[in-house]
Structures are given as C-alpha cells and as structure tokens.
Amino acid sequence: MEFNIENIMNKINNPKPDTWSQILKRPTKTIDDIEVTVKEIFKEVQKKGDEAVAKYTSVFDGIALDNYEVTPAEIQEAITLVSTELKEAIQLAKNNIYKFHYAQKAERISIETIEGVNCWQEKRPIQKIGLYIPGGTAPLFSTVLMLAVPAEIAGAKEVVLCSPPDKTGKINPAILYAANLCGVTKILKVGGIQAIAGMTFGTKSIPKVYKIFGPGNQFVTVAKQLATQFGVAIDMPAGPSELLVVADDTAVPAFVASDLLSQAEHGADSQVILVSTSKKLIAAVEKEIEIQLEELPRKEIAKKAIANSKLIFVENDKIALELINEYGPEHFIICSEYDDFYCNGVVNAGSVFIGNYTPESAGDYASGTNHTLPTNGYAKNYSGVNLDSFMKSMTFQKISEKGIRNIGPAIERMAEAEGLQAHKNAVTLRLKNLE
Amino acid sequence: MEFNIENIMNKINNPKPDTWSQILKRPTKTIDDIEVTVKEIFKEVQKKGDEAVAKYTSVFDGIALDNYEVTPAEIQEAITLVSTELKEAIQLAKNNIYKFHYAQKAERISIETIEGVNCWQEKRPIQKIGLYIPGGTAPLFSTVLMLAVPAEIAGAKEVVLCSPPDKTGKINPAILYAANLCGVTKILKVGGIQAIAGMTFGTKSIPKVYKIFGPGNQFVTVAKQLATQFGVAIDMPAGPSELLVVADDTAVPAFVASDLLSQAEHGADSQVILVSTSKKLIAAVEKEIEIQLEELPRKEIAKKAIANSKLIFVENDKIALELINEYGPEHFIICSEYDDFYCNGVVNAGSVFIGNYTPESAGDYASGTNHTLPTNGYAKNYSGVNLDSFMKSMTFQKISEKGIRNIGPAIERMAEAEGLQAHKNAVTLRLKNLE
C-alpha cells in the first residue's frame, strides 16, 4: 500500500475551546511497573555501591569494567578521533551558548527595606553537579554543551558526567571531546538507573552530587524522580519532545514542514502541532511533509510521530494564542505577520523561535539558548535550563540598632499573634538592651 | 526531678571532620505508611471531586460545609476582628517584603550571540498559583504575606489559598485579613490532603493550579510530593525548621540563647546548633538558655528540641565554615568578629542573619526576606522562595538571513554527527533558499 499523507495526518477545523484539552492531549505512559525495578536497583546501589553498579553495567550494557572513570589517555584518543570540521562546529556552538548563559549572571540585589534594615539576595553555585548523557546510536554531545557550559559559568566545584559504555567499553568520542572542552571534572562510564543511583548515594567510584541534569529513557526518568526522594534535586520532569508552529501565509511551507519533521524524527511519541489561520498554508505544508518525509533516513520513526500530529485551523490569531497557551509547547515557532502579538502574548512555552530563518534546530545546537526545556505542559510551571538552574538564591540581612527599633515592635506583635513567644522574646531582649 | 540544662544539652568538643555527618544528622522520618493514605485520598478527589473533599473535610476537620469559598462578608468580618495594632504590624511587614521582592524583578536579558542571531531571556508569571496555609493553634498569617506578596508582584492571574476550617467552619481572621490585603483571588476553607489533591486535579469548588506553595504537616508534605507526579510543581521539599548560629566573644550570650530558643519552640523536631571558637561563649549561652527557657509558654516543646541541639566547639573559623557548609542550615546567624569571612564563604544556607541586632525572627516576619526556606540540607541544592519561584524563564531567538548563514553550517555538521538528518534538513533548505 502506498503511503498517503492525507490519510495519516489529523486535520482539525476550527475546534471549539471545550474540545481543546482532548485534542491537545499528550500520550501518557504508566510508570508503575518500571518503578519497582528502579527502586530495587537504588536499594542495591545504596547498600553495595560499586558492586551493584558493576552488576547492572554487566546486565544492561553487556560489559564488565574494572574502572569506570575515563582516563586522560582515553580523552586524548577521543580528541584525535573527532574531525576538525566537527570540532569547529562544536566550538562555535559552545561560544554562543557561553555568551548567552554568561549574560544571565546576576548581580547581588541589595535594598534597605526600612532605615537600618539591609537585605540582599545573592546567587551561589550548587557545589556538586551530575550530568547524565544517554548512549545509543545518537551521541548527544550537544546536550553536554548545554549542561556543562552553564555549570562551569555558575562555578560548580565538581561536575560529574555519567554516560553508558558501548559493548567495547567506550563512550562516543564526541561526548568525551565536548565534556573535556567544557570543564567536566570527572567522566564515568556508567549508564541507566545505576548511574542515577550512584550519583544519588555516592559509591567508591561515583561521587554523590546535589543536582542531576540530563535526558534519558523511561528508566532514567523514573530514576531521576526517585532520586528526589533522597535529597537530590533534578533539572525538571521529562516527557517526549514537542513542537508547535503557528504560521500564516507569510510562512514558507517547505520550512514549516522541515521543522515539523525535525521534531518528528526524535521519536514515535514526539508531538508535532501546526496551528494556522490559513487553510492554504495547512494544505501546502501537508504536501511538503509528504515530499520531505520520503528522503529521511529516520522516516519510519517520523511517520509514526506524524500520525500523532495535528494540523489545526483556527479562525483568528487571538484564538490561536489562547490554544497555544493552553498547550504550553516545549518549542514554539512563530512564522506570522503578527509575530509581536504572539511574542508578547505567549505565557507558556519553553523556547520561542521567530521568523522564517529561525528553525528549531538552531536552538537545539547553536543559537546559544538552552535545549533542555520543559515538555508535557511543564512550560506552565517550569523554566528551561538556564544559568540559575545551577545556582541557589540565598538571602542576607543585617540590621542596625536603628533598624531593630524600626521593625522590632511589629515583629513582637506578629509573633505574639502567632503564639510564638520565644520569637517575640528574641526581639524584646534586644530592644530592652537599647533602652 | 529538677530540670538541669547541663544534662540535656549536647556539648561537642572539637569534633573530627569524619564524625561531622554523624553529629549533624537530622532526624529522619519514614513516610511509607502515610503515602498509602495520601494516594487513596488523591484517587478519590480525582474521581469524585467536591464529594470527596466534603467527605474528608468532615473526617479530618470535623465539620460539614455547604460552601468552601470564603465570602466577602466573612472577609469584612475578619477585617473588623483584627486589632489596629496587628494591622499596622502586618502592613509594615508587607511593605518590607514587597520592597525586597519587587527589587528582584528582572529585565529581559538580550544578546546577539553572533551577527544575526538574537537571543533573549524573559521571565513570565506562572498563571495559576496555589497557597496552602495550615490551621491549628498558630495562625500563620506571616506565611500568607511571604507567599501572596511575591505571587502578586510576579503577576499571577489566579492565586488560590486553601486553609482548613476550624470546628465552627471558620478560618482565623488574621489569615483572611492578610490574604485579602495581598490580592489572593480566592480563599477556600479546605485543608490537608484534600486541599492539595483539589488544587492538583481541580474540582467544582477548587481551581486546578500549576504550582503549590506553603508549609504543612507530614500529610500535606507527602501530598505535595505526590502532586508533582500529576504535573503540578511545588515550592520545595519540606522538613523540620532549623537554625545554626556561629558566635564568638563579640556575641551577646542572651541574644544567642533567645535565637536558639525561638527556633526550638517551633517543634520538638526542630534543629538548633551553636558553633563557636569560644568555650566561654558556649558556657554563657548554655546558662542563658536555662534562664530563658523557664519563661516560655511553649517550654515543653522547646525543651525537647533543646535536647536534640548541639553546642559545638571548634578550633578556628576555617573549620567552623567547613562544618557549616557541610550542614547547609536553613537559617544561619553570624555573630562574629569575622562576619565578612562567613558571609563570603558560606555556600549552603537558606537565609543569613548578620550581627547582634539581627535575630532570626526579623526574617521570619518583617525584614523583607522570605521565610520559606530550604530545610534538611536542601540549602545545598534549592533556593528559598523568591520572586523567581513564581515565574518561569523563557527563551526567544530571532535569526536573520545573515544569522542562519553564520551558524547554519555548524548546525548541519552537529545534527549529522548526532544522526538527526531532519534537523540538518531544516537548515539546508533555508541555506539553499538563500543561494
């Protein structure tokens, strides 16, 4: 049977708002059965350390290793294996990511809230950072840049990177090259649940960290969630990648199609949505998808994702914006005459791409923005990874004698009304001392 | 038997670093049995909505309510019930909290990372905020200020506050007064697990929110954790409150004792630690604790917490700082000749109080800093609540024809090396179009 794009794409005409949540529903997965496995491995790593890590590396990665840490010799080898062209590309991307994240450095915010009461906020680095980089066919060295560059700018003392070894006990050279370039302090050949458990509890080989970043399969996702129950923070909850494009007749259909497909190739569960006020544009994009799809090496994956995709016609831009904010896309491309309207009005999105020459892949690799972004509607309540993700806000206050005279009586009254006499006392004693 | 402070306080002399983690250990609690109850109530609220909320309000709060929403008449009544003195105190505290959090407003950060590639970061408010305020004997209206003020500055569209009704179906007037003063959009008489479940799923009476803030007992804590599995964000993981004071002979022993006690009165599981390079100061503080403790209405609670407290002598300030950073205190008071050394060197702390006239209760109520802070060592990886807690960072990029020519080839190479052909295509198509 010939592949017919008309039959697989979901075109939706002017949907009523009360149907939006159904139309925009993401595929959900149950994780209950995975949880049991993850908890078991966590317990074993907590108890037995490296012994358990060795066991599961053998089980899941099919290799026995004596030493998990990547040696300087292995890094040197990796450097020679990466082509000059790719090195230059990585360097250009790194420069842009560095510039954008460095610009996010915040000065101390200091204010005298009332005479004699000085308060300030400072950001200090999280001292120990863990990065997880998946293995497999697609070596995500770009994610190494996205995480290690801001970690270094923030000033983390330790940046540990875990990535699973292949069957020969190696990590892809581009990953090692990027990690070395960006100041990662320790690289470990450990993957999956055992890597997350190792960074959570610490083992002889794997340092305990305070916050874990990075993508992964369902096992890694559940393991990161579990890590939070043991005092470790994580970047954000994960879900399949997604893209929403809003486009009108000012958009180039071939470009829009290429963006939708670049999202679709990520995985069969990727989400791809086009919202438009132009039926003509929708038809043209559909046609372009059919043409471009046939050329893709990963077309089988992309076809499955395209089958879940939605092409939604709406009557005007106001409705489009409402729908987009209800969805809260991870990636949001705007190719519209009214791009300012969308830029100003969007409140729920991870990263926004404006205009015909701003493909999503620019943000994935080299524009400078971060590609670790909230999926699954989390753009409603989570930030994408940024410099602050690697820091903590701390507050300071210094109160003078004049200051405590100014706010002391208010504190005494409030503490008393809350029934906290010792809180009141701490002020009363000081005020008496000043009499 | 007479109460003898000497017998109950733990004095530790010059502990070796390898014993620190044992000495500084916080009391841990198992939550497995609570989890079952919480999950059950979540399921029921998800399925039955208000019906389940009514059932558990009746079970836990001992009252049947027809209407959960606080009416304008009830708010008017609350306003008349709060004394003018307390109103003035609340207003002063609100002004300071407002000033400090307003100062945290961030401008858009914009940068041209390479010619033609413009990237910027903007913060936008989380649209729907939920606040939880516990009931009971101590009405935490101060927490209303700490959460509702920054929510309003951030620009949240909806701020819902849930607090359990008392046996007569009312919420403490000071809580209602503060909520009304700070722009809370809806106040609901719902408490405990059913409140958190209601804000997670939404019911007819309780709006669904995107992020939940606020303290609570163990049930509320576990419920907030569970909420994160249903797409809702929370302020931070919770634990018992704690204070660490570093003091030398420049400190006033009576003041230090009053601060330790004001922490101790929070609960029997509160953590209170004094670190000092002066044995003389430790002895003097101990004596003062004994004197002041006897005067406290909550002395039974405070005594229990004091029994868990530690008075630690260390040989010098460098060791003290290391120990403090290993502990990562929620509240950190510095009364030392070398306060700059500690201010600059502390990397793990929630809020820092400097000098003899800066009691912890100043930050709890009225200096302007936030009192919702990371406990349990979470100061190592979490910020205290601040303006950003109510916002999300979003990134934007706009690339010109010149810009895509500058970064396009690098993207093509990187996408190819990661095996993502469609990502490459999205750029190739555009570059070709420009030839």
Side-chain angles (χ1 to χ4, degrees), chain A residues 85-86 88-89 92-93 96 99-100 103-104 109 111 113-114 117 119-121 123-124 126-127 138-142 145 210 228 231-233 254-255 258-259 261-262 265-266 292 296-298 339 343-344 346-354 356-359 361-367 369 378-384 386 388 391-401 404 406-407 410-411 413-415 417-423 425-427 429-430 433-434, chain B residues 85-86 88-89 92-93 96 99-100 103-104 109 111 113-114 117 119-121 123-124 126-127 138-142 145 210 228 231-233 254-255 258-259 261-262 265-266 292 296-298 339 343-344 346-354 356-359 361-367 369 378-384 386 388 391-401 404 406-407 410-411 413-415 417-423 425-427 429-430 433-434:
Chain A
E85 277 207 326
L86 185 56
E88 283 167 7
L92 181 145
N96 289 351
K99 278 183 207 161
F100 186 61
Q104 293 166 29
I109 292 168
I111 191 165
T113 53
I114 200 169
V117 179
C119 299
W120 63 100
Q121 182 196 50
K123 287 172 183 170
R124 305 229 163 145
I126 298 173
Q127 303 288 303
L140 298 181
F141 56 84
S142 62
L145 300 179
Y210 297 155
T228 64
V232 177
F255 295 176
S258 74
D259 291 327
L261 284 170
S262 72
E265 79 172 339
H266 271 302
Q292 293 179 29
L296 292 180
R298 290 167 76 107
D339 51 8
C343 271
N344 296 330
V346 61
V347 285
N348 300 324
S351 195
V352 183
F353 302 78
I354 303 148
N356 278 313
Y357 288 95
T358 314
S361 37
D364 288 339
Y365 290 109
S367 66
T369 62
Y378 288 118
K380 291 175 182 167
N381 40 19
Y382 288 90
S383 304
N386 60 83
D388 280 350
M391 310 194 90
K392 307 153 298 172
S393 250
M394 285 167 55
T395 52
F396 297 77
Q397 51 243 289
K398 190 169 186 174
I399 303 175
S400 68
E401 297 180 6
I404 197 71
N406 279 335
I407 63 172
I411 298 169
R413 276 177 230 159
M414 291 173 78
E418 287 193 354
L420 296 171
Q421 196 63 37
H423 283 65
N425 255 11
V427 172
L429 267 179
R430 284 161 166 101
N433 201 59
L434 293 175
Chain B
E85 277 208 326
L86 185 56
E88 284 168 5
L92 180 144
N96 289 351
K99 279 183 207 162
F100 185 60
Q104 293 165 29
I109 292 167
I111 192 166
T113 52
I114 201 168
V117 179
C119 299
W120 65 98
Q121 182 197 50
K123 287 172 183 169
R124 305 228 162 145
I126 298 174
Q127 302 289 303
L140 298 182
F141 56 84
S142 61
L145 300 179
Y210 297 154
T228 64
V232 176
F255 295 177
S258 74
D259 291 326
L261 285 169
S262 72
E265 79 174 337
H266 272 301
Q292 293 179 28
L296 292 180
R298 290 167 76 106
D339 50 9
C343 272
N344 295 330
V346 63
V347 285
N348 300 323
S351 196
V352 183
F353 302 78
I354 303 148
N356 278 313
Y357 289 95
T358 314
S361 37
D364 288 339
Y365 290 108
S367 65
T369 62
Y378 288 118
K380 291 174 182 168
N381 40 19
Y382 289 90
S383 304
N386 60 83
D388 280 350
M391 310 194 90
K392 307 153 298 172
S393 252
M394 286 167 54
T395 52
F396 297 77
Q397 51 243 289
K398 190 169 187 175
I399 303 177
S400 68
E401 297 180 6
I404 196 70
N406 278 335
I407 63 171
I411 299 169
R413 275 177 231 160
M414 291 173 78
E418 287 193 353
L420 296 172
Q421 196 62 37
H423 283 64
N425 256 8
V427 172
L429 267 178
R430 285 162 165 100
N433 201 60
L434 292 176

Side-chain angles (χ1 to χ4, degrees), chain A residues 148-387:
Chain A
V149 169
E152 197 181 14
I153 296 170
K157 240 163 93 181
E158 284 181 46
V159 183
V160 178
L161 185 151
C162 287
S163 191
D166 65 18
K167 296 260 185 272
T168 68
K170 301 217 166 188
I171 292 177
N172 183 288
I175 290 176
L176 295 185
Y177 175 76
N180 183 59
L181 185 70
C182 302
V184 168
T185 52
K186 197 189 267 274
I187 309 171
L188 293 158
K189 292 184 264 186
V190 186
I193 305 166
Q194 62 272 24
I196 307 299
M199 291 193 280
T200 300
F201 301 115
T203 71
K204 211 178 152 195
S205 302
I206 310 172
K208 180 180 162 55
V209 302
Y210 297 155
K211 189 168 183 177
I212 299 174
F213 293 77
N217 59 20
Q218 276 189 282
F219 291 96
V220 170
T221 299
V222 174
K224 279 171 65 188
Q225 276 171 7
L226 187 59
T228 64
Q229 290 186 26
F230 296 95
V232 177
I234 61 169
D235 46 2
M236 69 188 79
S241 195
E242 58 197 30
L243 166 68
L244 187 147
V245 180
V246 67
D248 61 16
D249 290 328
T250 65
V252 180
F255 295 176
V256 174
S258 74
D259 291 327
L260 294 172
L261 284 170
S262 72
Q263 187 57 40
E265 79 172 339
H266 271 302
D269 57 359
S270 284
Q271 294 272 303
V272 175
I273 295 174
L274 171 65
V275 176
S276 182
T277 52
S278 160
K279 287 185 181 172
K280 191 179 131 208
L281 188 271
I282 290 177
V285 168
E286 202 175 20
K287 208 168 168 187
E288 274 293 336
I289 287 177
E290 191 171 358
I291 297 167
Q292 293 179 29
L293 187 54
E294 285 307 312
E295 304 299 316
L296 292 180
R298 290 167 76 107
K299 74 175 165 189
E300 289 313 316
I301 291 173
K303 267 186 197 172
K304 280 182 195 151
I306 286 294
N308 292 325
S309 68
K310 309 266 160 48
L311 308 178
I312 305 174
F313 168 80
V314 291
E315 278 185 342
N316 60 51
D317 293 284
K318 195 173 158 285
I319 295 171
L321 180 63
E322 276 168 30
L323 183 143
I324 291 157
N325 277 328
E326 176 149 336
Y327 183 67
E330 179 194 12
H331 303 101
F332 174 36
I333 295 183
I334 304 169
C335 287
S336 160
E337 193 185 340
Y338 307 107
D339 51 8
D340 277 353
F341 169 78
Y342 286 103
C343 271
N344 296 330
V346 61
V347 285
N348 300 324
S351 195
V352 183
F353 302 78
I354 303 148
N356 278 313
Y357 288 95
T358 314
E360 189 209 301
S361 37
D364 288 339
Y365 290 109
S367 66
T369 62
N370 210 290
H371 78 197
T372 307
L373 298 166
T375 56
N376 207 30
Y378 288 118
K380 291 175 182 167
N381 40 19
Y382 288 90
S383 304
V385 165
N386 60 83
L387 186 64

Side-chain angles (χ1 to χ4, degrees), chain B residues 167-410:
Chain B
K167 297 260 184 274
T168 68
K170 302 218 166 187
I171 292 178
N172 184 289
I175 290 177
L176 295 185
Y177 175 76
N180 183 59
L181 185 70
C182 303
V184 168
T185 52
K186 197 188 268 271
I187 309 170
L188 293 158
K189 292 183 264 187
V190 186
I193 305 167
Q194 61 273 22
I196 305 300
M199 291 193 281
T200 300
F201 301 115
T203 72
K204 210 178 153 195
S205 303
I206 310 172
K208 180 179 162 54
V209 302
Y210 297 154
K211 189 168 183 177
I212 299 174
F213 293 77
N217 59 21
Q218 276 189 281
F219 291 97
V220 170
T221 299
V222 174
K224 280 173 64 188
Q225 274 171 7
L226 188 60
T228 64
Q229 291 186 25
F230 296 95
V232 176
I234 61 168
D235 45 1
M236 70 187 82
S241 194
E242 59 198 28
L243 166 68
L244 187 148
V245 179
V246 68
D248 61 16
D249 290 327
T250 66
V252 180
F255 295 177
V256 173
S258 74
D259 291 326
L260 295 171
L261 285 169
S262 72
Q263 187 56 40
E265 79 174 337
H266 272 301
D269 56 0
S270 284
Q271 293 274 303
V272 174
I273 294 172
L274 171 64
V275 176
S276 183
T277 51
S278 159
K279 287 185 182 171
K280 191 179 132 205
L281 186 271
I282 291 177
V285 169
E286 201 174 23
K287 207 167 168 188
E288 274 292 338
I289 287 177
E290 190 170 358
I291 297 167
Q292 293 179 28
L293 188 55
E294 285 307 312
E295 304 300 317
L296 292 180
R298 290 167 76 106
K299 73 176 165 186
E300 289 314 315
I301 291 174
K303 266 185 197 173
K304 280 182 195 153
I306 287 293
N308 292 325
S309 68
K310 308 267 161 45
L311 308 178
I312 306 173
F313 168 79
V314 291
E315 279 185 342
N316 60 52
D317 293 283
K318 194 173 159 284
I319 295 171
L321 180 63
E322 276 168 30
L323 183 144
I324 291 157
N325 278 327
E326 175 150 338
Y327 183 66
E330 179 194 11
H331 303 99
F332 174 36
I333 295 182
I334 304 169
C335 286
S336 161
E337 193 185 340
Y338 306 108
D339 50 9
D340 278 351
F341 169 77
Y342 286 102
C343 272
N344 295 330
V346 63
V347 285
N348 300 323
S351 196
V352 183
F353 302 78
I354 303 148
N356 278 313
Y357 289 95
T358 314
E360 189 209 300
S361 37
D364 288 339
Y365 290 108
S367 65
T369 62
N370 210 290
H371 78 198
T372 307
L373 297 166
T375 55
N376 208 29
Y378 288 118
K380 291 174 182 168
N381 40 19
Y382 289 90
S383 304
V385 165
N386 60 83
L387 186 64
D388 280 350
S389 311
F390 298 87
M391 310 194 90
K392 307 153 298 172
S393 252
M394 286 167 54
T395 52
F396 297 77
Q397 51 243 289
K398 190 169 187 175
I399 303 177
S400 68
E401 297 180 6
K402 174 87 186 179
I404 196 70
R405 280 203 191 97
N406 278 335
I407 63 171

